[in-house]
């Protein structure tokens, strides 16, 4: 449920959830794990479809909406949980590393809203991706930084998560890696939030 809400949260930027899903597919492909679910032809069809959706989404011709983000969130979450069940040698913290961004975005948003006495079910513009979007708009006023922001966030996600492939079976390292990413997220969030408040 947290994963489903997380993918819906991060769908606030064009291409963010689609490119995130493609990164997960790429990681699973490199680990020869995606073939447990899809043949090569079906996988190619999924990748081409997602790439087409990114292009349409980039030009504001098509939006994922709730149903699209929930569908992608469900599929990614289900596949990763099934992969762990089929391959128990893989650390559950490695699976958590792949899911940490959308899942922690949801969890942190709930805590943040409860702390400020806001309803956790009401939307706001204070998510990490919205803060970075506001900052990019400050830097380049008048330009739509939506899609560029999505690419930037997923590039950072890749830089922090892809190396964990090498230690996917080491539960201790993956656990510390997971909690380290949470610390990095929080530091980045409070820094961006402070910057946005000063500008406003």
């Amino acid at each position: 449920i947290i994963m489903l809400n997380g993918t819906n949260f991060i769908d606030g930027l064009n291409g963010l959830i689609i490119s995130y899903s493609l990164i997960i597919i790429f990681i699973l492909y490199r680990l020869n794990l995606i073939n447990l679910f899809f043949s090569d032809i079906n996988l190619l069809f999924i990748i081409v479809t997602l790439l087409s959706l990114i292009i349409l989404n980039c030009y504001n011709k098509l939006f994922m909406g709730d149903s699209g983000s929930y569908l992608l969130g469900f599929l990614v979450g289900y596949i990763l949980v099934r992969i762990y069940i089929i391959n128990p040698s893989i650390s559950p913290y490695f699976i958590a590393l792949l899911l940490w961004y959308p899942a922690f975005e949801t969890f942190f948003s709930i805590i943040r809203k409860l702390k400020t006495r806001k309803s956790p079910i009401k939307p706001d513009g204070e998510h990490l991706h919205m803060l970075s979007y506001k900052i990019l708009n400050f830097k380049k006023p008048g330009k739509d930084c939506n899609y560029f922001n999505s690419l930037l966030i997923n590039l950072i996600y890749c830089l922090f998560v892809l190396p964990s492939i090498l230690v996917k079976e080491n539960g201790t390292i993956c656990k510390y890696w997971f909690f380290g990413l949470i610390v990095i997220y929080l530091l980045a969030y409070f820094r961006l939030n402070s910057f946005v408040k000063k500008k406003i």
Side-chain angles (χ1 to χ4, degrees):
I1 291 172
I2 289 175
M3 178 62 186
L4 291 179
N5 279 317
T7 51
N8 193 32
F9 274 18
I10 68 173
D11 188 44
L13 292 177
N14 288 357
L16 187 55
I17 181 59
I18 305 172
S19 49
Y20 166 78
S21 302
L22 283 168
I23 291 167
I24 298 298
I25 290 171
F26 171 76
I27 290 171
L28 297 180
Y29 176 77
R30 293 294 297 167
L31 294 174
N32 293 319
L33 295 171
I34 197 73
N35 58 353
L36 298 170
F37 301 91
F38 304 108
S39 66
D40 289 343
I41 296 296
N42 288 336
L43 182 60
L44 180 63
F45 174 76
I46 290 170
I47 291 171
V48 169
T49 301
L50 290 177
L51 289 173
S52 301
L53 290 175
I54 282 183
I55 294 168
L56 292 171
N57 196 213
C58 177
Y59 289 101
N60 295 320
K61 300 297 182 186
L62 181 140
F63 299 98
M64 294 301 293
D66 288 345
S67 58
S69 60
Y70 286 143
L71 176 62
L72 282 178
F74 172 78
L75 288 175
V76 169
Y78 173 78
I79 288 170
L80 288 173
V81 170
R82 288 293 300 163
I83 282 173
Y84 173 69
I85 292 170
I86 296 168
N87 300 277
S89 63
I90 294 175
S91 169
Y93 282 99
F94 174 71
I95 302 299
L97 278 167
L98 299 181
L99 297 173
W100 82 271
Y101 173 54
F104 187 72
E105 182 80 65
T106 303
F107 178 74
F108 179 67
S109 178
I110 292 169
I111 300 299
R112 173 175 54 77
K113 289 175 183 177
L114 289 174
K115 187 177 177 183
T116 56
R117 300 191 178 184
K118 295 178 182 176
S119 172
I121 60 174
K122 288 189 177 178
D124 65 11
E126 297 182 29
H127 302 295
L128 180 72
H129 62 276
M130 295 308 296
L131 294 176
S132 60
Y133 175 76
K134 289 174 184 177
I135 290 172
L136 286 173
N137 275 340
F138 286 138
K139 301 287 185 184
K140 296 182 180 284
K143 293 190 176 181
D144 186 8
C145 301
N146 196 318
Y147 191 66
F148 176 75
N149 193 27
S150 297
L151 291 175
L152 183 62
I153 289 172
N154 275 314
L155 175 62
I156 294 170
Y157 172 81
C158 284
L159 291 174
F160 283 120
V161 172
L162 283 179
S164 67
I165 292 173
L166 301 173
V167 292
K168 65 184 182 299
E169 295 179 356
N170 189 318
T172 303
I173 294 176
C174 286
K175 177 168 62 175
Y176 287 123
W177 201 313
F178 175 76
F179 288 113
L181 288 180
I182 290 175
V183 171
I184 291 169
Y185 174 99
L186 292 173
L187 290 173
Y189 180 87
F190 290 121
R191 184 67 182 262
L192 293 176
N193 193 35
S194 174
F195 182 86
V196 169
K197 284 182 177 177
K198 285 178 184 176
K199 291 293 182 181
I200 294 174

